[in-house]
Amino acid sequence: LCVFGGLTIFVMAFVAVWCESIAGYYECKDCGHRHKPSYFKVLFAIHVGLSRKLRCPKCNKKNYHKKVYSADAE
């Protein structure tokens, strides 16, 4: 029973990261560019809340990108 419960939690953690990666965009703190990184970049990125340390494809700087849910700049 413990193995089944542990395996379920382990698999659902990957599903939760997948859902987060396909919903919305990540916004660069420096240039404001919004982009959608690949699943593996989101999976292995250090995160604090909904911000993840990613490399911006536009300015090529690495910083914490904030999660936003629309593609147009506000």
Side-chain angles (χ1 to χ4, degrees):
L1 191 58
C2 289
V3 171
F4 178 72
L7 186 62
T8 303
I9 290 171
F10 184 74
V11 169
M12 291 310 292
F14 286 101
V15 171
V17 171
W18 177 74
C19 288
E20 182 184 338
S21 71
I22 63 170
Y25 300 87
Y26 286 93
E27 181 177 35
C28 178
K29 187 165 59 168
D30 291 333
C31 67
H33 178 68
R34 294 182 180 192
H35 63 99
K36 194 175 272 199
S38 69
Y39 171 74
F40 290 106
K41 287 182 182 179
V42 173
L43 180 65
F44 293 116
I46 298 170
H47 68 282
V48 177
L50 291 178
S51 296
R52 293 188 178 269
K53 193 167 190 175
L54 300 166
R55 185 170 303 277
C56 179
K58 186 176 181 184
C59 67
N60 206 25
K61 292 183 181 176
K62 193 170 190 178
N63 58 25
Y64 282 94
H65 292 211
K66 183 181 174 186
K67 182 73 169 185
V68 292
Y69 292 102
S70 82
D72 14 329
E74 296 173 8

